[in-house]
Amino acid sequence: MADIASTTTPSRSWYKRNEIALTPWLFLLPGILFFALYVIIPIFQSFWISFHEWDGLGEKTWVGTAHYERLLGGDRKFQVSFWNNIKWLFLYLLAIPAGLFIALLLNQTVRGIRLYKSLFFFPFVISQVVVGLVFSWFYLPNDGLFDVMTGWFGIDIKGGVLGNPNTATYGIIAAGLWPQTAYCMILYLTGLNAVDPEQVEAARLDGAKGHKMLWYVILPQLKPATFIAFVVTIIGALRSFDFIAVMTNGGPFGSTRVLSFYMFEESLSEFGFRMGYGAAIAVVLFFIMLFFIAYFLYSMYRDEKGAR
Amino acid sequence: MHKFLKASTAALALAVAATGATADGHGLSGDLRIISDMSNPAPRAVMEKMAADFGALHPDLNVELEIVDREAWKTQIRNALSANPPDVVNWYAATRMTPYVDAGLFMDISDLWAEPEFEALSSTKGAMTLNDAQWGVPYTYYQWGVYYRKDIFAELGLSEPKTWEEELANCQAILDSGRKCYTIGSKFLWTAGGWFDYINSRTNGYDFHIQLANGEVEWTDDRVRQTFANWRQLIDMGAFIDDHQSYSWQEALPFMVDGEAAAYLMGNFSVAAFREGGLTDDQLDFYQFPTINADVANAEDAPTDTFHIASGAQNVDAAKEFLRFVTSADVQSEINSGDALGQLPVNANATISDDKFIQEGFEMLSNNASGGIMQFFDRDFPAEMASVGMEGLQEFMVFPDNLDDILARLEDARQRIYK
């Protein structure tokens, strides 16, 4: 037997011959398996459920695209949620310039600067739920600090910031910006460490200073940090669930809902368990996210190609 | 079966005697798994004692009690009932049972209700009935009504209103004294549901209210509009505290405790909170929601909390015995007493705590609620209608001018939900 084996496989086994090609896949295999199990397959399950009427307990009934027709054909809750999502997306991006500004401010050698940096970073460390709670006290009508402060200027927001459907979403976004700014700041602080001092020196010899220095010399070198800040901020805006749940619970009269919160309400909350409709919302949210993620992947790909 | 019935009647008699004499021959053994949502401190102690007492009565039975957070249980019950179900669970009466009854997760216990002992529970039988069968037993209920500051009423020379006119006149007097008539915190919506229950049932009667809950009446119906018109009288007067959409029901309590508002439409569970807030029984009193339409009988909100047997229960005999135990007159008197739950017993033979609010509530529900007993907006209306509805009610309380839009939206939801 041993003779036959040694004659048919000359000296190296099949695995040995393909080792270079196979090994990466072997290492990737557990990751791929779990990614498929917990991410890819559930995505398709969501698609499947969204075509059914299902209360999570009994039998599923096939309803075809009825959920999507209702969703896109004038469901007011959906429209409110969608526009709130758009508001979140754009206003949340303010965290990037704000983070950059603070990072530039803190990027100097002063006694105790580490302490200041960690203080500025603090809101990102504490839980979003705590931030939301603190801000909802801050916004309380009559007794809240914010209401007292606007009172100095003679402005009275009817119902308090979070009780007024015109201001509530902005109030929550402002609360969300606080930790998000800190996050962007830390990204820029690390980015600033990597700025090449020789280039700065050279620019200075050429007479660049102030905002010209910032715009033409520093910012281009911060591009990777900006990119990451952009990605985490967009994703953060689309995931804005905790703040809404803690601060307004979607109210007043549903004016602060976003898609993720609406999805939760329909499918998993106390009065929910309409899994099909919730899944349909999830699918729409998935495609919105996919649009952004595809754009980022594409621009990353383009940059890498350009670098070569 | 007959023999078992006899044995359990004997057990019941023992329970009623409630002594340590547990040397009995009936064979309940194995495990009894109970999942309870009585997670607040006082109910928790009651539940734990109840389980321990039941275990003492049945030495061969191992009672396993698991207490789950009350809010969390509202979403966990589905998983608990479908995978590895316990024997006994807590839930709520009326339409709130529907999903579990329809999915076959609650056991039909009509045979239990056919036993003579259950005659004493007949007042709650309707709330436990779906599809002509009974699906659980109640263990406690509590009245709703207007809790008010007696001292403020005395200061202004007001008396408890019996009619809507008196109510409006009272409210005007309170407003003139620089206070608000009612405090309310509508952030979590359900408090507005209480107001709707009362004004609608007082305006159009219990039957109409239940028809609306069952989706048989359009929300744009003139009778519904009349309800909102009555409600609007109070809103336009400025009867409710400002910015109530920013407060939870607890956050709205200080307005009454501090005397900035004179009354609160609430369930009896609020009494404990008022007392904790420092109001004495000399300052705090209770009256039944006034009559609006003299032609309809008064209906009252009195939400009932319940026990059910899971259809996948392993130890059905023990579970049924536990339900008999819970609803027996003696246990009912004990768990609903002032230093336990402080609510109303469901068994007609049980003694009522001598707490003045419980006494008044019992009196009201026994003699002055001939219209019917409502379970509360979010238990009488199906879940989706309740959530859309309460959101509309909150919006109405803040922007009454949006009424047409709100009603159109609710009607839209009604046509979709009840098919």
Side-chain angles (χ1 to χ4, degrees):
Chain A
M1 284 292 272
D3 280 345
I4 299 165
S6 62
T7 48
T8 46
T9 52
S11 55
R12 302 188 318 158
S13 68
W14 180 84
Y15 172 74
K16 278 280 175 203
R17 275 180 286 125
N18 297 289
E19 197 172 4
I20 302 291
L22 273 181
T23 313
W25 289 106
L26 277 180
F27 280 112
L28 279 174
L29 194 66
I32 290 175
L33 261 178
F34 282 98
F35 191 68
L37 191 65
Y38 290 112
V39 179
I40 306 292
I41 296 172
I43 288 175
F44 287 100
Q45 279 179 324
S46 288
F47 286 176
W48 182 243
I49 292 172
S50 74
F51 293 118
H52 293 84
E53 193 82 63
W54 186 39
D55 67 354
L57 289 173
E59 289 295 302
K60 295 193 193 75
T61 350
W62 175 265
V63 293
T65 56
H67 287 316
Y68 293 97
E69 282 159 28
R70 187 182 137 207
L71 199 61
L72 305 173
D75 176 357
R76 209 140 28 133
K77 288 183 180 176
F78 175 77
Q79 289 165 1
V80 170
S81 313
F82 181 79
W83 288 113
N84 279 339
N85 259 126
I86 302 288
K87 284 181 200 164
W88 269 91
L89 272 177
F90 282 98
L91 291 176
Y92 224 45
L93 289 178
L94 288 176
I96 297 173
L100 176 65
F101 177 78
I102 296 174
L104 291 171
L105 193 77
L106 291 180
N107 191 39
Q108 41 197 314
T109 40
V110 186
R111 203 177 143 79
I113 193 71
R114 274 163 194 270
L115 178 69
Y116 300 134
K117 281 181 184 171
S118 35
L119 283 179
F120 271 95
F121 191 58
F122 189 63
F124 187 70
V125 178
I126 52 180
S127 154
Q128 297 205 336
V129 174
V130 176
V131 175
L133 209 58
V134 169
F135 264 81
S136 61
W137 293 330
F138 177 62
Y139 287 143
L140 267 187
N142 305 323
D143 315 318
L145 188 59
F146 186 78
D147 200 68
V148 173
M149 279 157 58
T150 52
W152 295 338
F153 304 99
I155 302 166
D156 181 43
I157 297 172
K158 194 172 172 294
V161 176
L162 296 179
N164 188 319
N166 299 319
T167 53
T169 291
Y170 300 107
I172 303 175
I173 296 174
L177 276 176
W178 190 42
Q180 192 64 29
T181 302
Y183 193 14
C184 292
M185 176 202 80
I186 213 76
L187 289 171
Y188 277 121
L189 275 178
T190 46
L192 283 170
N193 277 337
V195 165
D196 186 355
E198 285 179 14
Q199 283 189 26
V200 177
E201 195 63 25
R204 197 162 279 155
L205 285 176
D206 287 343
K209 57 186 170 194
H211 67 274
K212 280 205 162 164
M213 172 76 112
L214 177 67
W215 190 255
Y216 292 107
V217 181
I218 309 286
L219 275 189
Q221 296 190 58
L222 287 176
K223 206 176 163 202
T226 310
F227 181 74
I228 298 291
F230 210 72
V231 173
V232 295
T233 307
I234 293 281
I235 292 176
L238 287 171
R239 290 196 321 179
S240 51
F241 178 86
D242 334 28
F243 287 111
I244 295 165
V246 172
M247 293 175 74
T248 61
N249 203 27
F253 7 105
S255 61
T256 55
R257 273 196 196 94
V258 294
L259 288 176
S260 54
F261 192 79
Y262 187 28
M263 172 187 77
F264 165 79
E265 257 190 348
E266 283 291 318
S267 48
L268 297 168
S269 72
E270 187 186 340
F271 296 110
F273 297 108
R274 290 173 295 282
M275 297 297 181
Y277 201 58
I281 302 167
V283 168
V284 172
L285 186 59
F286 171 76
F287 279 112
I288 296 175
M289 285 205 178
L290 194 67
F291 171 78
F292 282 102
I293 292 168
Y295 170 75
F296 288 130
L297 287 180
Y298 171 72
S299 66
M300 225 153 48
Y301 170 76
R302 209 184 39 196
D303 284 0
E304 267 179 29
K305 254 179 107 179
R308 262 178 214 155
Chain B
M1 188 62 203
H2 188 66
K3 198 177 163 196
F4 171 68
L5 262 183
K6 259 172 130 180
S8 51
T9 321
L12 200 75
L14 269 176
V16 170
T19 56
T22 53
D24 46 83
H26 57 84
L28 285 182
S29 57
D31 294 329
L32 175 67
R33 281 181 60 219
I34 304 172
I35 302 188
S36 168
D37 70 345
M38 297 162 75
S39 60
N40 293 327
R44 188 186 184 104
V46 168
M47 184 68 222
E48 280 166 354
K49 180 161 190 310
M50 214 156 41
D53 288 353
F54 187 68
L57 278 177
H58 305 281
D60 294 338
L61 189 71
N62 175 29
V63 181
E64 281 176 34
L65 172 66
E66 186 186 334
I67 292 179
V68 180
D69 177 71
R70 197 172 170 90
E71 290 305 311
W73 179 241
K74 289 173 181 169
T75 50
Q76 281 176 14
I77 181 173
R78 307 180 146 248
N79 295 341
L81 285 177
S82 37
N84 186 19
D87 298 305
V88 175
V89 294
N90 276 130
W91 194 237
Y92 308 99
T95 311
R96 215 58 198 275
M97 302 189 295
T98 313
Y100 310 100
V101 171
D102 286 350
L105 293 173
F106 281 166
M107 184 175 283
D108 179 351
I109 54 163
S110 303
D111 56 331
L112 209 59
W113 278 87
E115 291 172 13
E117 286 80 7
F118 277 76
E119 297 266 299
L121 304 177
S122 57
S123 64
T124 56
K125 191 170 181 178
M128 303 311 302
T129 305
L130 281 179
N131 312 338
D132 297 323
Q134 286 78 44
W135 304 92
V137 298
Y139 67 91
T140 187
Y141 70 116
Y142 52 90
Q143 82 272 17
W144 270 63
V146 183
Y147 294 83
Y148 71 101
R149 287 284 299 268
K150 198 159 45 165
D151 48 343
I152 295 178
F153 270 51
E155 180 196 320
L156 300 174
L158 305 175
S159 56
E160 297 182 0
K162 295 279 178 238
T163 65
W164 192 240
E165 289 70 37
E166 286 173 30
E167 161 68 31
L168 294 176
N170 268 1
C171 185
Q172 194 55 53
I174 295 167
L175 287 171
D176 291 343
S177 75
R179 302 180 180 95
K180 292 290 187 182
C181 310
Y182 292 101
T183 182
I184 180 174
S186 65
K187 182 174 180 184
F188 294 100
L189 309 178
W190 54 269
T191 48
W195 275 93
F196 180 81
D197 280 349
Y198 272 104
I199 299 183
N200 192 40
S201 66
R202 289 288 193 272
T203 307
N204 299 310
Y206 173 81
D207 293 333
F208 178 83
H209 185 72
I210 294 302
Q211 279 171 9
L212 188 65
N214 293 337
E216 293 156 16
V217 185
E218 291 173 15
W219 276 91
T220 45
D221 192 286
D222 278 343
R223 288 168 290 179
V224 179
R225 286 184 187 277
Q226 186 56 45
T227 298
F228 282 102
N230 290 337
W231 195 351
R232 183 158 184 172
Q233 286 182 305
L234 285 177
I235 295 171
D236 285 348
M237 288 168 80
F240 299 98
I241 59 164
D242 296 327
D243 310 329
H244 55 77
Q245 71 271 33
S246 300
Y247 306 118
S248 66
W249 79 267
Q250 293 98 332
E251 287 167 334
L253 283 167
F255 291 95
M256 181 152 153
V257 173
D258 300 342
E260 290 171 43
Y264 204 166
L265 178 68
M266 250 305 141
N268 194 55
F269 53 84
S270 60
V271 169
F274 285 129
R275 286 180 178 150
E276 252 166 53
L279 291 181
T280 63
D281 282 6
D282 295 333
Q283 293 173 296
L284 189 65
D285 208 347
F286 172 84
Y287 65 81
Q288 183 172 17
F289 197 90
T291 305
I292 295 178
N293 177 355
D295 298 334
V296 299
N298 289 338
E300 290 295 324
D301 264 332
T304 308
D305 292 350
T306 55
F307 278 106
H308 303 266
I309 304 181
S311 54
Q314 300 298 312
N315 198 343
V316 177
D317 289 345
K320 285 188 174 169
E321 189 57 36
F322 182 73
L323 299 196
R324 288 190 194 97
F325 171 78
V326 168
T327 50
S328 65
D330 234 56
V331 174
Q332 277 297 307
S333 313
E334 187 190 329
I335 65 173
N336 286 298
S337 68
D339 50 358
L341 292 175
Q343 296 182 356
L344 292 164
V346 292
N347 190 314
N349 302 325
T351 48
I352 315 289
S353 153
D354 50 10
D355 180 275
K356 81 168 177 178
F357 294 100
I358 302 177
Q359 288 283 350
E360 259 191 85
F362 182 73
E363 166 75 18
M364 175 179 83
L365 292 174
S366 315
N367 304 327
N368 219 350
S370 50
I373 301 289
M374 300 175 284
Q375 289 297 323
F376 200 71
F377 194 87
D378 63 359
R379 301 187 193 182
D380 285 327
F381 286 69
E384 189 177 5
M385 193 68 234
S387 75
V388 181
M390 292 191 298
E391 205 167 281
L393 298 178
Q394 187 201 33
E395 181 171 350
F396 172 74
M397 288 191 76
V398 183
F399 296 113
D401 289 337
N402 295 359
L403 180 63
D404 286 328
D405 185 48
I406 296 168
L407 289 182
R409 209 183 320 152
L410 296 193
E411 175 55 21
D412 205 39
R414 182 190 73 89
Q415 290 178 5
R416 185 167 43 77
I417 294 165
Y418 305 89
K419 272 189 280 203

